[in-house]
Amino acid sequence: MAKYQFFCIPDSNRQQFTYVDMADEQFMEQKQQLLAAGFEVEDDVIFADTQEEAVEHFKSNFIYAVEEYNNANFITAFASLVIIAYKKITKKT
């Protein structure tokens, strides 16, 4: 099963996106190029057997639903808040 990372143009409502297979030898180089071009990492990685399946999962916004479910619990919501705050402060993606 392959692991894909998705990137979106900010404020495009997940409509302008691309993805990279994380097993690709040039993954880090491709990621840096996308970030330099204005894309942002969207959600967590997606595991899928094919590229089409990965795109289908991404378009279904499944990860968003899982995050919302996790945020319904105070402990996981607080952990998410700490992680997001850390990323904002350190400007990490």
Side-chain angles (χ1 to χ4, degrees):
M1 188 168 279
K3 187 164 64 167
Y4 298 92
Q5 187 163 49
F6 281 76
F7 302 84
C8 287
I9 295 290
D11 301 319
S12 69
N13 201 24
R14 298 171 60 98
Q15 298 302 309
Q16 294 177 309
F17 68 90
T18 189
Y19 57 91
V20 180
D21 184 342
M22 295 180 76
D24 190 318
E25 291 179 7
Q26 297 176 336
F27 168 72
M28 289 306 293
E29 182 180 326
Q30 293 171 343
K31 179 177 180 176
Q32 292 305 319
Q33 290 173 351
L34 289 168
L35 295 174
F39 284 82
E40 293 181 351
V41 174
E42 187 76 18
D43 299 331
D44 202 355
V45 300
I46 293 177
F47 292 90
D49 291 323
T50 65
Q51 294 176 354
E52 293 79 15
E53 183 181 336
V55 170
E56 190 175 306
H57 283 297
F58 178 77
K59 286 184 174 180
S60 75
N61 211 4
F62 174 74
I63 292 172
Y64 173 77
V66 170
E67 286 175 350
E68 287 298 308
Y69 177 78
N70 286 337
N71 287 338
N73 179 317
F74 173 76
I75 294 170
T76 56
F78 182 73
S80 293
L81 173 67
V82 170
I83 291 168
I84 291 168
Y86 174 77
K87 286 181 178 181
K88 291 283 185 189
I89 291 169
T90 60
K91 306 261 191 249
K92 292 190 177 196
T93 55

